[in-house]
């Protein structure tokens, strides 16, 4: 791709050429051709990338815009319905972080439970796409200041019907129950 100043020089060269053509008595068609030379300008769009140096984010700014729209509506309805708030525990996740989570429950540590079937290598999580197509949430036991996580399965049951109503997939229906997990339907991404 040419630098921006090269486009400017090309444009000026075209205009100068037009002046020379006029002075030489060029036909109107030749003048028109000199003026309408197409110049392809560079695009300023860059592919969004995850923030450098972080393994995991909790920021909705790192989520797919459609996920944010649907989740924010679900979150408001959840609070209205249950009187409890949701807060985000994971949005975008790096491959290294996904692998770390995959190892939980597989290291032989007593009492450690498996949290995901997705290893991040042979199968990618929707958290690993950027912007993220998944969000993990937590129910807050106390709507006041600070976060007081509730991990009781019953607190997450309202997410199932709400997720369906807002066009999201709820992890509570999977073989490894992932009650805090919400993701975009594949066709919405």
């Amino acid at each position: 791709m040419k630098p921006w100043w090269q486009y400017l020089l090309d444009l000026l060269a075209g205009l100068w050429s037009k002046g020379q053509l006029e002075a030489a008595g060029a036909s109107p068609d030749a003048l028109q051709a000199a003026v309408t030379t197409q110049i392809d300008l560079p695009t300023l769009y860059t592919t969004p990338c995850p923030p450098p140096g972080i393994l995991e984010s909790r920021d909705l700014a790192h989520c797919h815009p459609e996920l944010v729209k649907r989740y924010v509506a679900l979150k408001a309805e959840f609070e209205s319905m249950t009187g409890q708030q949701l807060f985000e525990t994971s949005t975008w996740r790096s491959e290294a972080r996904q692998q770390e989570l995959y190892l939980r429950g597989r290291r032989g540590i007593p009492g450690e439970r498996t949290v995901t079937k997705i290893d991040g290598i042979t199968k990618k999580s929707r958290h690993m796409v950027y912007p993220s197509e998944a969000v993990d949430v937590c129910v807050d036991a106390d709507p006041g200041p600070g976060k007081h996580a509730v991990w009781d399965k019953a607190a997450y049951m309202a997410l199932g019907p709400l997720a369906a109503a807002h066009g999201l997939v709820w992890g509570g229906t999977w073989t490894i129950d992932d009650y805090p997990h919400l993701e975009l339907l594949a066709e919405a991404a």
Side-chain angles (χ1 to χ4, degrees), residues 121-182:
I121 298 170
T122 59
K123 187 167 182 182
K124 303 287 183 182
S125 165
R126 301 285 294 281
H127 287 283
M128 295 170 63
V129 177
Y130 195 86
S132 177
E133 295 174 0
V135 59
D136 287 342
V137 300
C138 187
V139 175
D140 191 352
D142 177 14
K147 308 279 189 256
H148 301 90
V150 174
W151 295 112
D152 178 32
K153 175 178 159 179
Y156 293 84
M157 290 297 112
L159 286 179
L162 287 175
H166 291 276
L168 296 171
V169 175
W170 179 50
T173 61
W174 298 342
T175 54
I176 285 186
D177 297 327
D178 193 354
Y179 298 108
H181 183 90
L182 299 164

Side-chain angles (χ1 to χ4, degrees), residues 1-18:
M1 182 183 341
K2 291 193 269 186
W4 67 269
W5 51 267
Q6 186 64 53
Y7 292 100
L8 182 60
L9 288 176
D10 291 347
L11 178 63
L12 292 174
L15 293 175
W16 183 67
S17 298
K18 179 185 176 225

Side-chain angles (χ1 to χ4, degrees), residues 65-182:
E66 189 62 27
L67 174 61
V68 172
K69 182 177 91 174
R70 293 175 189 212
Y71 168 67
V72 167
L74 175 145
K75 184 176 179 176
E77 196 171 337
F78 182 88
E79 184 175 1
S80 171
M81 222 170 91
T82 66
Q84 294 181 303
Q85 296 176 339
L86 295 174
F87 62 92
E88 300 76 42
T89 59
S90 181
T91 55
W92 176 80
R93 189 178 295 152
S94 68
E95 183 178 292
R97 176 67 173 143
Q98 186 66 37
Q99 290 172 356
E100 182 183 309
L101 291 172
Y102 177 75
L103 290 175
R104 286 192 185 168
R106 293 177 172 84
R107 297 182 280 205
I109 298 172
E112 188 177 64
R113 92 185 236 297
T114 303
V115 295
T116 184
K117 286 185 173 182
I118 311 276
D119 66 1
I121 298 170
T122 59
K123 187 167 182 182
K124 303 287 183 182
S125 165
R126 301 285 294 281
H127 287 283
M128 295 170 63
V129 177
Y130 195 86
S132 177
E133 295 174 0
V135 59
D136 287 342
V137 300
C138 187
V139 175
D140 191 352
D142 177 14
K147 308 279 189 256
H148 301 90
V150 174
W151 295 112
D152 178 32
K153 175 178 159 179
Y156 293 84
M157 290 297 112
L159 286 179
L162 287 175
H166 291 276
L168 296 171
V169 175
W170 179 50
T173 61
W174 298 342
T175 54
I176 285 186
D177 297 327
D178 193 354
Y179 298 108
H181 183 90
L182 299 164

